[in-house]
Amino acid sequence: MTGRISRQTAAWALAGVCALAGCDDSLNAMRRSGAQGTMPGEVSKENPYQHVNVPSPLNELLPRAIQIHEFTSVEKFSAAKQGVNVRLQCTDGFGSRTKAFGRFRFELRQFVPAEANKAGDLIRWWVVDLLDVAANKQHWQNTLMLYEFKLECDQPLTMNTKYVLVAAFDSPYSDRMFTERVFVARP
């Protein structure tokens, strides 16, 4: 009985490692299709990822929700460039903070007051691929247990002005997720 449980545990662990490591060649498929992706809400004719079914209980460790953290702010990155320093938190099936392997798309939009949909005209968008382990480590902040993305803007952002930041997450291992946050640009 002990040997069978051991082999079964090893089989589940191997399946989980393969699923989480991307054995389906989804990273190369995404690179071939380009990193631009689609706008949130748009239907893509080409899905850059082929869904990977992650077995239970390993699927509970995958992100179930994303949230733009309140520490997100506008910052000056260099003498000539400013942008948004996005801090983003992913939550797994246990309600704990977790890492996410996939692609994030961020949109900075004008704030529209007195409307149900506060997101107005698109100012700038960025795509950050975290399917690669090295890129994932680069953006992960271990102390805060969240991701940090320094997204440069081509045009200056007006201080003390409200903006809407939209984030979308797409991965072969989980469902697509969206979140948005209204924030005030502060120095």
Side-chain angles (χ1 to χ4, degrees):
M1 185 79 165
T2 305
R4 196 167 75 197
I5 292 173
S6 235
R7 280 181 264 155
Q8 185 179 21
T9 303
W12 278 108
L14 182 59
V17 168
C18 287
L20 293 175
C23 290
D24 63 328
D25 200 29
S26 59
L27 177 60
N28 290 330
M30 186 183 71
R31 285 183 179 147
R32 286 190 300 271
S33 69
Q36 296 303 319
T38 58
M39 299 284 284
E42 286 184 348
V43 177
S44 170
K45 290 181 182 177
E46 295 179 30
N47 185 3
Y49 296 123
Q50 183 177 354
H51 183 72
V52 175
N53 190 17
V54 179
S56 181
L58 294 175
N59 63 345
E60 294 296 324
L61 299 173
L62 298 173
R64 296 279 176 92
I66 60 173
Q67 176 186 7
I68 299 170
H69 200 273
E70 57 265 12
F71 291 162
T72 295
S73 62
V74 171
E75 292 185 11
K76 193 172 227 180
F77 297 133
S78 66
K81 293 280 186 174
Q82 74 175 33
V84 183
N85 189 354
V86 178
R87 286 151 177 124
L88 190 131
Q89 172 182 320
C90 302
T91 309
D92 67 12
F94 296 106
S96 301
R97 292 183 183 189
T98 190
K99 294 181 180 177
F101 288 89
R103 182 183 59 206
F104 283 98
R105 178 184 170 93
F106 298 99
E107 296 179 359
L108 183 63
R109 294 185 166 269
Q110 296 287 338
F111 174 77
V112 181
E115 291 289 332
N117 183 5
K118 303 293 184 193
D121 292 338
L122 180 66
I123 298 170
R124 176 85 162 80
W125 61 275
W126 305 264
V127 174
V128 181
D129 182 1
L130 295 186
L131 203 53
D132 178 63
V133 174
N136 202 297
K137 287 180 181 179
Q138 175 188 352
H139 293 284
W140 179 254
Q141 300 299 312
N142 210 32
T143 306
L144 299 172
M145 294 185 67
L146 49 77
Y147 287 103
E148 182 176 38
F149 305 96
K150 295 183 183 278
L151 307 175
E152 287 187 353
C153 249
D154 298 332
Q155 65 188 65
L157 300 174
T158 309
M159 290 299 136
N160 298 316
T161 301
K162 286 185 178 181
Y163 293 97
V164 178
L165 184 65
V166 179
F169 176 69
D170 193 20
S171 172
Y173 311 112
S174 61
D175 293 333
R176 178 175 274 177
M177 292 171 250
F178 300 96
T179 188
E180 69 177 31
R181 183 175 193 86
V182 176
F183 71 101
V184 178
R186 303 255 189 239

